[in-house]
């Protein structure tokens, strides 16, 4: 049995946004799952991740960033995004007491989570998992967006498609190597920024996402 709860999340000095807790009956961890820049927490990708992790015994706490809640086109300033993430982590910990807590998310959401963690550790969070870390603008390779990662002390998992235009692996791999054993890279062969694969790859998008979720669940289980 999987319980899905529609919630409201209060962000100090910012306002209130929508949130969803998806929790299986037997839960061993909770993943605070932040959405990407262009789609909200109800996007099909976010739904599939939440449902897939629930089937693997892992709860998810999703939420909208304020700009998405208000249907504004431009993402929030980092300080606002960080405040939303801190509120989400605190609420997830309250709703899922005693469970292993991890955070991160899709693209922009994962990057904002890592920035928040680098500035001040997110209470109780054991690791960060990125579903397509956006290392740079589309097809404009650089590493400036990764500079803050060196300040993070907890384990990090980078799930990256080998066709991801926002994360040239020839730039990302050296970054991850400099982070040492706390950082793990798992490549989804043929996957784009959302892990979609080409038909000629011989497998489906659902099969690629299964690899993502299996890897994520195993990594969460291995965290101390």
């Amino acid at each position: 049995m999987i319980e899905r709860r529609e919630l409201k999340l209060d962000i100090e000095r910012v306002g209130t946004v929508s949130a969803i807790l998806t929790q299986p009956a037997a839960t061993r961890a909770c993943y605070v799952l932040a959405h990407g820049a262009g789609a909200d927490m109800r996007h099909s990708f976010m739904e599939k991740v939440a449902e897939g992790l629930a089937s693997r015994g892992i709860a998810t706490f999703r939420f909208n960033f304020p700009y998405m809640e208000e249907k504004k086109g431009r993402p929030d300033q980092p300080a606002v995004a960080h405040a939303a993430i801190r509120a989400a982590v605190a609420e997830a910990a309250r709703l899922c007491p005693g469970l292993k807590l991890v955070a991160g998310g899709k693209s922009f959401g994962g990057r904002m989570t890592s920035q928040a963690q680098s500035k001040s550790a997110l209470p109780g969070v054991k690791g960060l998992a990125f579903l397509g870390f956006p290392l740079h603008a589309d097809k404009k390779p650089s590493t400036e967006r990764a500079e803050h990662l060196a300040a993070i002390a907890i384990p990090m998992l980078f799930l990256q498609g080998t066709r991801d235009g926002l994360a040239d692996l020839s730039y990302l791999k050296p970054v991850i190597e400099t982070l040492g054993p706390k950082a793990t890279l798992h490549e989804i062969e043929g996957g784009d920024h959302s892990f979609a694969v080409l038909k000629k790859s011989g497998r489906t998008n659902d099969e690629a996402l299964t690899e993502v979720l299996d890897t994520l669940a195993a990594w969460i289980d291995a965290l101390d």
Side-chain angles (χ1 to χ4, degrees), residues 14 35 37-39 65-76:
V14 175
H35 64 73
F65 285 109
Y67 79 96
M68 192 61 75
E69 186 78 5
E70 297 166 9
K71 295 180 171 54
K72 295 180 178 178
R74 185 186 296 266
D76 298 310

Side-chain angles (χ1 to χ4, degrees), residues 30 106 116 128 159 171 216:
C30 181
K106 177 78 177 79
L128 303 181
L159 289 153
Y171 283 72
L216 176 55

Side-chain angles (χ1 to χ4, degrees), residues 103-151:
K106 177 78 177 79
S107 194
F108 170 82
R111 184 163 71 97
M112 290 298 104
T113 302
S114 64
Q115 286 184 1
Q117 175 71 25
S118 72
K119 290 179 178 299
S120 179
L122 297 164
V125 171
K126 301 296 185 182
L128 303 181
F130 309 116
L131 306 179
F133 188 87
L135 183 63
H136 49 74
D138 189 30
K139 298 175 183 175
K140 295 181 179 180
S142 66
T143 59
E144 287 81 2
R145 289 183 180 179
E147 290 174 356
H148 68 281
L149 297 175

Side-chain angles (χ1 to χ4, degrees), residues 12-85:
E12 188 175 359
R13 294 191 296 275
V14 175
T16 302
V17 298
S18 302
I20 301 172
L21 175 66
T22 304
Q23 186 171 13
T27 311
R28 61 185 184 276
C30 181
Y31 179 36
V32 179
L33 173 60
H35 64 73
D40 69 7
M41 66 174 181
R42 299 180 191 277
H43 186 268
S44 60
F45 177 88
M46 301 289 284
E47 294 280 1
K48 288 179 181 178
V49 170
E51 291 169 5
L53 288 178
S55 72
R56 292 164 173 79
I58 297 171
T60 54
F61 185 87
R62 286 176 281 162
F63 61 97
N64 278 338
F65 285 109
Y67 79 96
M68 192 61 75
E69 186 78 5
E70 297 166 9
K71 295 180 171 54
K72 295 180 178 178
R74 185 186 296 266
D76 298 310
Q77 291 297 313
V80 173
H82 300 167
I85 289 161

Side-chain angles (χ1 to χ4, degrees), residues 157-197:
L157 173 65
F158 295 79
L159 289 153
Q160 303 287 154
T162 59
R163 293 191 302 116
D164 189 343
L166 277 67
D168 185 318
L169 289 176
S170 67
Y171 283 72
L172 182 61
K173 285 181 178 179
V175 167
I176 291 175
E177 288 174 6
T178 64
L179 296 173
K182 66 184 177 182
T184 300
L185 170 64
H186 183 91
E187 299 176 33
I188 305 300
E189 184 60 40
D192 65 9
H193 192 54
S194 295
F195 309 116
V197 294

